[in-house]
Amino acid sequence: MTKASDVRPYWKNFINGEWVDGSEGARIPVTDPATGLKLCEVARGTAADIDRAVAAARACFNSDEWQNMLPHERGALMFRLADELEKAADEVALVECFDNGKTLANGRGEIPLTQRYLRYYGGMADKLEGRQIPLGSGLLDYTILAPYGVSAQIVPWNGPLPVGARSIACALVTGNTVVLKSPEDSPLSLYLLAEACTRAGVPKGAVNIVCGYGAEAGAALAAHKDIDHVVFTGSVETGRSVLRAAAERIIPCVMELGGKSGGIVFPDADIDQTVESAANGIFKHAGQICSAGSRLIVHRSVYDQVVEKLIARAESLNVAPGIEGGDLGPLISERQLERVEALCRVGVEEGATLRTGGSRTKGLDGYFMAPTVFTDVRPDMIIAQDEFFGPVVVVIPFEETEEAIEIANGTDYGLAAGLYTRDLSLAHKVANRLVAGQVYVNQWWAGGVETPFGGMKRSGFGREKGQEALLGYVQTKNVGIKL
Ligand code: NAD
């Protein structure tokens, strides 16, 4: 498969191990963002489909097969799933290119990354232990890390496979079952995970994947009366409505929301390395990454130098359909492109200086946005506060370290932050003060599958990745026995 027309024309939902049409027979068209043309159709999941999927997940959760599966067997299942996913590697890379707008290189990276998650959590399945609490010789007391039951997971379009798979892995190794609502804009790679689940022998109903519109299938899942747990990754606005639904039923949530993450450049930083890292941090996947480094806070003494190099880097990037091997591909939709362009116009009206980019790329049919750099940005401007979710970086000057920390912390978000310096003491000091779930020193996204990831403030709560993530999928149960 090397072209969009090779993508399978129709994909069904995966419920109770079966491939099924939407309950009303309706379909959702999926668009190739690099051309604006229809790519394929997927079954449109409705509230009735969510009902069936939750019932299947519940039945599996209650089954002897699931309840009696030993922790090391659940771990082995994740290893088999990772192995089976290998067979879908080429197709995953291509569908990520065509429905998501990823570059082919990034699409190819999705499988090794997803396998890392599956094997990492598979390896931990038999290492989750409770504790014994000493209450004297007449009592035996111990704790169990118990699953919640049916875990409802709602996934955004920008990284559906690794984001979905890491939540599924955490849920399964801790003994939960899953209903996942895949993103309507880029659902395809998760169907390939579902196919791998069948090949790997994941019990029927343990993983159900339903695509549907957010307001329809997503809202029905979040409000379903028989789910026990919610993992939501997406925007703050949608996160609020999911939390309201969860509050009605008092069920726990993991919330992975947006970001407006800032990197501070100190005068002693290696400028070339800093610019390379900062450019990667904002232009990768056209800035459609929740932890993108969308603000650069630069010491006045190196400001001009950093800005000139950053602009040169932005202008050197090849914006092209992912399949053609460009550096960055399109935004996900016309709506997202319009939103990013509109925010750029706001920046100009606010008095920031647009140094490069600022609008869609001419001469391409899809939803391509030019890599954009704004300078003379004040921390209180809308473009320094609102998430673009596009390839737009705002550069803000500072004089004093305290001022830089204040600027970095001065948004509603707290997902990631970074700093560039050769001074290790300064790095420690500033890292301690930054209000963010992850802090990167001298390399944006320093970290990996093993490092806990998640938000502070409006960026959410709970953690994905790392050992900490598993704690979001279990509840402590205490057993006291009078001997
Ligand atoms: P979104 O909130 O619009 O959609 C996310 C998911 O929620 C989709 O599956 C959508 O169908 C569903 N949804 C929409 N309305 C719903 C409703 N009323 N009830 C239930 N579900 C509903 O977000 P998006 O535009 O797909 O993704 C971009 C956002 O996600 C950005 O803000 C980005 O920062 C954030 N994000 C965060 C992380 C993280 O780990 N923190 C990762 C990726 C993306």
Side-chain angles (χ1 to χ4, degrees):
M1 187 167 72
T2 52
K3 50 189 191 300
S5 58
D6 292 333
V7 171
R8 300 180 217 174
Y10 175 50
W11 306 66
K12 297 183 183 184
N13 287 320
F14 184 68
I15 299 177
N16 203 27
E18 311 285 336
W19 292 96
V20 293
D21 291 313
S23 66
E24 293 169 11
R27 298 181 178 195
I28 295 174
V30 178
T31 302
D32 177 355
T35 60
L37 300 174
K38 187 166 129 183
L39 179 67
C40 63
E41 292 179 328
V42 301
R44 174 173 167 177
T46 62
D49 296 300
I50 293 294
D51 272 348
R52 291 175 59 193
V54 173
R58 174 65 60 198
C60 178
F61 180 74
N62 288 336
S63 69
D64 287 345
E65 180 187 16
W66 192 248
Q67 290 294 330
N68 294 337
M69 192 181 281
L70 296 174
H72 77 86
E73 292 171 336
R74 289 200 289 263
L77 196 57
M78 293 304 98
F79 279 82
R80 285 206 299 280
L81 185 53
D83 292 345
E84 289 299 335
L85 206 49
E86 186 72 42
K87 296 176 185 156
D90 289 344
E91 198 171 358
V92 164
L94 285 154
V95 299
E96 284 292 342
C97 224
F98 287 126
D99 79 348
N100 196 312
K102 284 193 193 300
T103 62
L104 197 52
N106 285 350
R108 288 205 174 106
E110 297 291 87
I111 285 285
L113 174 62
T114 303
Q115 288 174 317
R116 286 276 296 114
Y117 280 123
L118 294 169
R119 291 178 180 134
Y120 179 80
Y121 289 115
M124 290 187 63
D126 55 358
K127 296 169 193 71
L128 283 166
E129 296 165 355
R131 62 195 176 105
Q132 189 266 323
I133 299 168
L135 293 179
S137 60
L139 285 165
L140 172 64
D141 193 285
Y142 58 92
T143 63
I144 294 170
L145 299 179
Y148 284 105
V150 176
S151 174
Q153 310 191 341
I154 300 177
V155 172
W157 49 265
N158 64 331
L161 182 62
V163 170
R166 75 188 182 205
S167 302
I168 288 174
C170 285
L172 296 189
V173 300
T174 49
N176 299 278
T177 58
V178 175
V179 176
L180 183 148
K181 207 291 282 172
S182 58
E184 58 271 37
D185 287 323
S186 61
L188 304 186
S189 56
L190 279 167
Y191 296 118
L192 297 167
L193 180 71
E195 289 180 351
C197 282
T198 302
R199 292 197 298 275
V202 173
K204 287 185 178 196
V207 175
N208 303 274
I209 296 181
V210 179
C211 186
Y213 290 117
E216 189 173 36
L221 180 58
H224 199 283
K225 63 182 184 334
D226 202 27
I227 60 165
D228 304 299
H229 177 245
V230 177
V231 182
F232 174 77
T233 307
S235 62
V236 173
E237 192 189 343
T238 311
R240 274 202 186 94
S241 78
V242 170
L243 274 171
R244 280 192 201 101
E248 282 301 317
R249 301 199 38 262
I250 326 261
I251 55 175
C253 298
V254 175
M255 285 279 141
E256 295 285 4
L257 308 177
K260 188 74 180 177
S261 305
I264 304 172
V265 185
F266 287 101
D268 67 335
D270 177 324
I271 298 299
D272 286 333
Q273 186 191 317
T274 297
V275 169
E276 193 55 39
S277 168
N280 185 42
I282 187 60
F283 298 133
K284 185 173 180 185
H285 198 17
Q288 302 166 105
I289 299 178
C290 50
S291 50
S294 50
R295 295 180 299 148
L296 203 57
I297 302 154
V298 186
H299 193 268
R300 281 245 184 246
S301 62
V302 290
Y303 187 84
D304 289 342
Q305 200 187 350
V306 169
V307 165
E308 291 316 318
K309 287 180 187 261
L310 189 60
I311 293 169
R313 188 75 190 99
E315 292 178 345
S316 75
L317 294 168
N318 175 21
V319 182
I323 197 72
E324 291 175 14
D327 297 314
L328 66 157
L331 301 189
I332 189 69
S333 62
E334 175 67 31
R335 193 170 134 251
Q336 180 66 10
L337 179 58
E338 280 170 7
R339 184 187 133 71
V340 173
E341 285 188 308
L343 260 176
C344 286
R345 288 194 293 277
V346 168
V348 173
E349 283 159 20
E350 287 182 305
T353 306
L354 175 62
R355 297 293 294 272
T356 188
S359 59
R360 63 189 67 206
T361 309
K362 312 260 175 320
L364 289 168
D365 289 335
Y367 314 131
F368 294 90
M369 178 74 195
T372 299
V373 179
F374 274 104
T375 59
D376 304 316
V377 177
R378 285 194 321 273
D380 61 346
M381 286 180 175
I382 291 169
I383 58 165
Q385 293 288 326
D386 284 13
E387 187 184 39
F388 278 83
F389 223 54
V392 181
V393 60
V394 302
V395 193
I396 306 170
F398 78 92
E399 308 264 4
E400 303 296 332
T401 301
E402 277 304 314
E403 182 192 359
I405 295 170
E406 197 178 315
I407 295 169
N409 289 340
T411 75
D412 270 353
Y413 294 106
L415 190 55
L419 62 124
Y420 299 91
T421 178
R422 290 181 166 98
D423 181 341
L424 199 52
S425 301
L426 181 68
H428 275 298
K429 185 178 140 200
V430 175
N432 279 338
R433 297 276 308 282
L434 291 171
V435 183
Q438 286 203 330
V439 178
Y440 312 124
V441 179
N442 290 332
Q443 187 192 351
W444 203 265
W445 291 313
V449 164
E450 308 85 344
T451 52
F453 176 80
M456 295 183 176
K457 299 194 285 182
R458 303 303 86 68
S459 291
F461 51 83
R463 293 291 175 266
E464 292 286 332
K465 306 168 87 166
Q467 298 183 27
E468 279 78 359
L470 291 170
L471 300 177
Y473 293 75
V474 290
Q475 49 195 335
T476 300
K477 184 198 262 186
N478 190 80
V479 179
I481 303 174
K482 175 84 178 92
L483 297 173

